[in-house]
Amino acid sequence: MSDLLALLMSYETLRVIWWLFLGVLLIGFAVMDGFDLGIGALLPVIARTDDERRVLINTIGPTWEGNQVWFVLGGGAIFAAFPLIYAAAFSGFFVALILVLFALILRPVGFDYRSKLPDPRWRSTWDWCLFVGGFVPALVFGVAFGNLLQGVPLRFDAEMRVFYDGNFFGLLNPFALVCGVVSLAMLAMHGAVFLQLKTVGELHARARRWQGIAALVYASAFAVAGLWLVLGIDGYRLVSFAGSEGASNPLAKTAVREAGAWLANYRAAPLLWLIPALGFAGAALAWRLGPRRPGWAFVASAVSVGATILTAAVAMFPFMLPSSIAPSHSLTVWDSTSSLLTLRWMFCMTVLFLPLIILYTSWVFRVMRGPVTLDDVRGSDAHY
């Protein structure tokens, strides 16, 4: 038992565990807050009247703040467990992250202020704010992943100061925009599946139609991005490094760009090909189950969301923030973490509190289960 505990608490194991924890938090955010973003992006096309828009807003109004906890936890995990990645990413992606932040700020303001006045122009303005608050983050998160897969123009000097030699418009390259479409369509699909759980009648039927459209766009863009990555984008390979137990020094390694390197992990373990396959299968199964079993359709959609993120993460491992201008300055799982003591304390806290968050979230959704109808919101001051 002591040998097992020593292995679990080793620097190498904890680095991998925190890579996994970060993946769990990002997937948790995409699954739990992703349908909120997707519903915001679909608000103008599914809801056609003020009452219908109120129904859609009230399907997520009671839970969206709790769902966003996953986003906060993900950011906190990067800050505490991978401080070099936090510093480099927030430097290079500063404008993009500010754009996401402003868009996310529109959501709570939109929820709270939309129904303060009955004026149609007032409500329409906040409805468009809620649309922007869903559309922009869903798109930008995908664009960010697209840039990670290509590498970003970062480098370190001899004093370990990080420099980013790109700009915001450089992030908007064709491959990254395709990845943005993957993200946007995926979350719109996920949001439409959730709406089938929470609405009835014509709103349910429209959500079903838009789920099909979003799933088709997602599957097409996911396939295009995958082929583009395999045929036209070089991956990264570690040639030498200080070791999995070594100090976090990104300059103490040699890395190269190499055609097909992003497929190395899949070639080493062919069973991993099931992960991208689950992305397609989950979307198809969610469409199939939607009319009869919307609960299971939501689970299938969540599997599709998680598999899509894992597809990129597995391809990149152990790289987390590759450098396009100095490959050996790329940040990996082995050279961008906090100290061993920090990872140990954070591991203990995560094991204690993450199950509590999951249990509380499950309880909230159980209490709030059931559809929201037009009759619920008409003449009611208790709803948004």
Side-chain angles (χ1 to χ4, degrees):
M1 179 64 71
S2 60
D3 291 340
L4 179 60
L5 183 61
L7 176 62
L8 182 63
M9 292 291 103
S10 69
Y11 211 3
E12 177 183 13
T13 304
L14 284 172
R15 281 168 159 166
V16 175
I17 286 174
W18 272 102
W19 177 81
L20 291 171
F21 272 161
L22 181 58
V24 168
L25 294 174
L26 291 178
I27 291 172
F29 167 66
V31 170
M32 299 307 300
D33 203 34
F35 66 78
D36 294 341
L37 300 177
I39 290 173
L42 291 172
L43 186 63
V45 295
I46 290 183
R48 298 176 181 174
T49 66
D50 181 68
D51 284 339
E52 288 181 346
R53 285 188 283 274
R54 289 188 67 197
V55 168
L56 262 63
I57 291 169
N58 279 280
T59 62
I60 58 176
T63 57
W64 74 269
E65 286 181 288
N67 293 340
Q68 201 154 279
V69 166
W70 292 93
F71 181 62
V72 177
L73 289 175
I78 296 174
F79 174 78
F82 300 97
L84 288 175
I85 290 178
Y86 183 90
F90 275 73
S91 175
F93 296 159
F94 180 77
V95 176
L97 289 171
I98 287 295
L99 184 64
V100 168
L101 178 62
F102 285 162
L104 291 176
I105 288 173
L106 291 176
R107 290 207 297 167
V109 178
F111 282 123
D112 288 339
Y113 281 89
R114 183 192 183 276
S115 296
K116 295 295 184 182
L117 296 176
D119 185 355
R121 290 174 299 179
W122 171 269
R123 294 189 171 189
S124 177
T125 299
W126 291 116
D127 289 339
W128 281 107
C129 288
L130 291 172
F131 165 76
V132 171
F135 181 93
V136 171
L139 180 69
V140 172
F141 289 140
V143 169
F145 261 97
N147 280 280
L148 291 181
L149 288 164
Q150 296 174 98
V152 296
L154 68 88
R155 57 185 173 84
F156 291 89
D157 65 9
E159 284 75 36
M160 287 295 296
R161 292 178 299 181
V162 63
F163 294 87
Y164 182 82
D165 294 337
N167 57 64
F168 171 73
F169 295 102
L171 300 176
L172 305 178
N173 56 78
F175 176 75
L177 290 173
V178 170
C179 292
V181 172
V182 173
S183 175
L184 178 60
M186 175 181 74
L187 297 185
M189 171 190 73
H190 196 45
V193 173
F194 184 76
L195 283 178
Q196 291 176 73
L197 268 171
K198 299 292 290 182
T199 59
V200 296
E202 183 60 29
L203 284 175
H204 184 281
R206 287 185 211 140
R208 168 73 173 163
R209 287 195 294 271
W210 278 99
Q211 179 201 348
I213 294 170
L216 181 61
V217 174
Y218 155 75
S220 302
F222 192 32
V224 169
L227 289 173
W228 196 334
L229 189 69
V230 170
L231 300 176
I233 296 177
D234 292 343
Y236 290 74
R237 179 173 64 87
L238 276 178
V239 177
S240 64
F241 67 111
S244 54
E245 294 279 353
S248 290
N249 180 3
L251 301 183
K253 69 172 178 298
T254 303
V256 296
R257 297 193 70 172
E258 195 175 82
W262 284 151
L263 297 180
N265 291 330
Y266 290 99
R267 285 194 293 262
L271 205 59
L272 292 174
W273 284 107
L274 288 175
I275 296 174
L278 282 173
F280 293 106
L285 193 59
W287 165 253
R288 185 78 175 175
L289 294 173
R292 301 182 306 278
R293 297 181 180 272
W296 284 108
F298 183 79
V299 172
S301 179
V303 168
S304 180
V305 171
T308 303
I309 296 172
L310 273 177
T311 297
V314 168
M316 291 178 64
F317 185 86
F319 289 89
M320 298 184 71
L321 194 60
S323 171
S324 59
I325 57 175
S328 293
H329 292 198
S330 301
L331 294 172
T332 73
V333 173
W334 312 126
D335 57 27
S336 60
T337 60
S338 296
S339 68
L340 175 59
L341 181 62
T342 299
L343 295 186
R344 284 177 175 174
W345 273 106
M346 289 176 54
F347 173 77
C348 296
M349 293 300 101
T350 302
V351 169
L352 176 63
F353 288 108
L354 187 58
L356 295 178
I357 293 171
I358 294 173
L359 287 173
Y360 175 74
T361 302
S362 302
W363 177 77
V364 168
F365 275 89
R366 180 174 177 80
V367 170
M368 302 302 298
R369 68 187 183 276
V372 180
T373 66
L374 290 171
D375 290 337
D376 290 332
V377 301
R378 285 173 177 157
S380 173
D381 293 332
H383 291 76
Y384 287 106

